[in-house]
Amino acid sequence: VDPQPVAMLPHRLHNMTPDSVTDVTKAIQLALGPVFLLTGIAGMLNVMAGRLSRIIDRGRALTERMAAPTQPPALERELQLLETRRYFTSVAITACTVAALLVCLVIATLFLEAMLDAPLKWLVGSLFMASTLALVVGLAFFLREVHLATQTIRIPQPGRRT
């Protein structure tokens, strides 16, 4: 085995000391916060994917009813609203997925910082800020889709005028 490649490795990787073990332990502790954030984002993605599935199913059902040469304006309007809701939900899913990927990079960077003893706090901070912004964008589009859904669907109640 050629000793040259091993000699090129950073000192921390091939000579583990109690301090380096402590650094890795600190990295694990620091990574717990982003891991919980990742779990929350996964839950939101699950909810968004469920809504997207329902929107698509409703659109398919309406499209199958459109066998007549002329469609009622209400049907066309509902299909347009479903398309808008599908778009908002798709953008929300994309933004939240980007946020999750950025959180994964935050976790990986925290471990790289500990393992290589490299000053990567600026990168961790930048990635975390970018993930937070992507999450805000995703949640804003999700909120817009929910708002649009609640404004377009009216449930009649007996005894009340709408």
Side-chain angles (χ1 to χ4, degrees):
V1 175
D2 184 18
Q4 184 64 19
V6 173
M8 293 172 56
L9 288 174
H11 176 70
R12 299 285 237 173
L13 287 180
H14 64 85
N15 189 13
M16 294 295 280
T17 64
D19 286 340
S20 61
V21 172
T22 303
D23 290 345
V24 172
T25 303
K26 287 180 184 176
I28 291 170
Q29 290 171 345
L30 285 174
L32 281 179
V35 166
F36 285 122
L37 177 59
L38 197 56
T39 303
I41 293 172
M44 285 301 303
L45 284 169
N46 187 33
V47 169
M48 291 176 190
R51 289 185 71 86
L52 181 61
S53 176
R54 288 180 178 210
I55 292 166
I56 290 171
D57 288 346
R58 177 72 178 152
R60 283 185 183 150
L62 289 177
T63 303
E64 288 171 2
R65 273 202 253 166
M66 291 179 55
T70 60
Q71 287 76 33
L75 186 62
E76 288 182 20
R77 176 73 179 136
E78 186 173 354
L79 282 171
Q80 289 172 347
L81 289 171
L82 285 171
E83 174 56 24
T84 304
R85 289 179 56 205
R86 185 209 56 81
Y87 172 76
F88 287 152
T89 305
S90 294
V91 172
I93 288 172
T94 300
C96 286
T97 301
V98 167
L101 291 171
L102 288 168
V103 169
C104 289
L105 287 174
V106 167
I107 294 167
T109 305
L110 286 169
F111 281 102
L112 279 174
E113 183 177 42
M115 300 286 289
L116 301 177
D117 195 25
L120 300 175
K121 289 176 182 27
W122 63 271
L123 183 58
V124 171
S126 298
L127 289 170
F128 187 76
M129 284 178 17
S131 71
T132 303
L133 288 174
L135 185 59
V136 166
V137 169
L139 291 174
F141 272 92
F142 180 65
L143 181 62
R144 179 66 183 113
E145 186 276 325
V146 169
H147 185 261
L148 183 61
T150 58
Q151 292 301 311
T152 58
I153 305 296
R154 296 289 179 213
I155 302 169
Q157 296 179 359
R160 291 183 106 185
R161 289 186 285 184
T162 54

